[in-house]
Amino acid sequence: MRVMVVGAGQSGLLLSHLLHAGGVEVELFNHRTVEELRGGPAPLAQFTLPSTLAAERAAGLDFWSSEAVASGASYAGVAAPAFTSVRLEARPEGGDLLGFAGRLPGPGVAVDPRVKLADWLAAFEDRGGRVHPYGVTVGDLDAFARMGRYDLIVVAVGSGELGRLFPPDPARRTSTLRERAVAQVHLAGVEPGQADADVVTTPHGEVFCVPVLGPQGPAHALLVVGAPGGALDCVPDLSARRVDIAAALLERVRAHAPGLYERCRAAEVVEAGVHGRIYPAVRRPVGVLPCGGRVLGLGDTVVTVDPASGQGWAASTLAATAYAQQILAHDGPFDAAFLNATFDAYWRAHGRHVAAFVDMVSAFWTGTLPETVTARFARAAAEAAAADAWIAAFDTPEALARLTA
């Protein structure tokens, strides 16, 4: 079996590793080399929660644990700071603050994509995988499909020309697919709080503060997610050429998460900052080429997750894992029925629960959650077990079904 994977993001790289380990001949195409990934522009932090980390470890891709560093298996040679507890704080306008801290079912980490993806790509080459540093076009895919060079082509590139092969899927559209404005800085010297990581949710959006391993070493990622043009949009004018992102971000944190601001105000900015727009979407998983050949979408290509959920890399990881299981167990043609069934397996197991997670956050601020759910949320401030249950739902969104039933 020969498989072509386009895109060396979280999902494309993990799928490539899993298929290669399963004996599949994989050719990975990516427009950037290892060195270019390491030296690329600052990306948004991504959270590797316990279940996601377990999947990476099972694939032999946990290079940033203390054990990996001690054994010499780490490319970076530096352990990522782990987080096992999270403080969740809800700050309504003019109302009483509600907050609690709980524990995850295991450690999580956040490794900057410039570190993580470069190391994973280097590892794929070291393990004998074939990598082509080449930007693929629709025309290229069409030519490969006509030649029959590959049994299966998987596209994991997000948006752009290849992303347009996958139209929106109205059957899976959720009520909260909304454009998001995001901004982030890396800080050194953040004062300790009640938990290892913080999430502050407000009517205007969310603020995250999470330990991260960046190119400069361990730090904290301070990330703001809000509505474009809203109170938490750090760069409402995207045409502005010179914006002090760190100053704009900290000013908004001061106004909407003052407790967190006090812990960050004296910290050193070690990453100048990044900002942008994210357009959450759910698309059809099968793209049709001009020649009639079909390709399978993966990760952000098909499901772009709202960053307010913190589920971006969890979704990509579990999608790649589900795809690998389906592909390795398959004995037959990679036709449209198989491609759709492969995505359906992921959607049933995880994708729909992430969508429900985002919908719940939105419903919390619109006042449309059932009173029983808000009562359970309030109880978490007084009961440690209830707090742990809510925080554990970040790791396994399907647990929300039990909390919100």
Side-chain angles (χ1 to χ4, degrees), residues 31-73:
H31 69 288
R32 287 192 288 176
T33 64
V34 170
E35 293 72 22
E36 289 169 337
L37 285 171
R38 293 197 195 284
L44 293 176
Q46 300 284 350
F47 314 130
T48 306
L49 296 163
S51 294
T52 307
L53 186 58
E56 294 179 0
R57 188 175 295 116
L61 294 172
D62 176 19
F63 297 140
W64 308 280
S65 65
S66 299
E67 294 79 9
V69 173
S71 68

Side-chain angles (χ1 to χ4, degrees), residues 142 145-146 286-295 336:
D142 197 57
R146 288 177 183 275
V286 180
V288 180
L289 298 170
C291 69
R294 291 174 171 83
V295 294

Side-chain angles (χ1 to χ4, degrees), residues 44-297:
L44 293 176
Q46 300 284 350
F47 314 130
T48 306
L49 296 163
S51 294
T52 307
L53 186 58
E56 294 179 0
R57 188 175 295 116
L61 294 172
D62 176 19
F63 297 140
W64 308 280
S65 65
S66 299
E67 294 79 9
V69 173
S71 68
S74 170
Y75 284 76
V78 181
F83 54 89
T84 58
S85 58
V86 179
R87 176 170 171 78
L88 177 60
E89 186 176 287
R91 298 189 64 90
E93 290 286 342
D96 294 332
L97 181 149
L98 177 62
F100 54 83
R103 299 190 68 80
L104 291 163
V109 295
V111 180
D112 187 290
R114 288 168 295 181
V115 176
K116 186 175 195 177
L117 300 182
D119 286 358
W120 279 13
L121 184 58
F124 185 69
E125 293 181 294
D126 290 346
R127 293 173 181 179
R130 295 186 62 184
V131 177
H132 302 276
Y134 177 77
V136 175
T137 67
V138 170
D140 295 325
L141 293 184
D142 197 57
F144 285 134
R146 288 177 183 275
M147 290 187 294
R149 177 177 174 83
Y150 302 101
D151 299 290
L152 174 65
I153 297 175
V154 180
V155 176
V157 297
S159 57
E161 179 190 2
L162 298 188
R164 288 192 287 274
L165 288 169
F166 306 90
D169 186 350
R172 292 190 176 94
R173 181 181 178 89
T174 68
S175 60
T176 50
L177 290 179
R178 53 193 176 172
E179 181 184 354
R180 311 300 280 156
V182 294
Q184 172 192 278
V185 293
H186 282 191
L187 303 174
V190 174
E191 295 182 5
Q194 296 181 15
D196 300 327
D198 293 86
V199 180
V200 181
T201 181
T202 80
H204 307 290
E206 283 67 43
V207 181
F208 297 83
C209 186
V210 181
V212 64
L213 176 63
Q216 313 87 355
H220 275 79
L222 187 61
L223 171 67
V224 170
V225 181
L232 284 178
D233 186 354
C234 298
V235 189
D237 181 7
L238 292 178
S239 66
R241 296 191 175 182
R242 291 196 177 110
V243 178
D244 188 336
I245 298 172
L249 191 153
L250 286 168
E251 177 60 26
R252 283 155 179 80
V253 173
R254 183 194 65 78
H256 298 282
L260 184 56
Y261 171 79
E262 290 300 321
R263 293 170 43 214
C264 297
R265 62 184 302 181
E268 176 190 1
V269 177
V270 294
E271 183 75 64
V274 59
H275 71 90
R277 297 282 193 269
I278 294 178
Y279 305 88
V282 181
R283 304 176 185 90
R284 298 187 188 277
V286 180
V288 180
L289 298 170
C291 69
R294 291 174 171 83
V295 294
L296 177 62

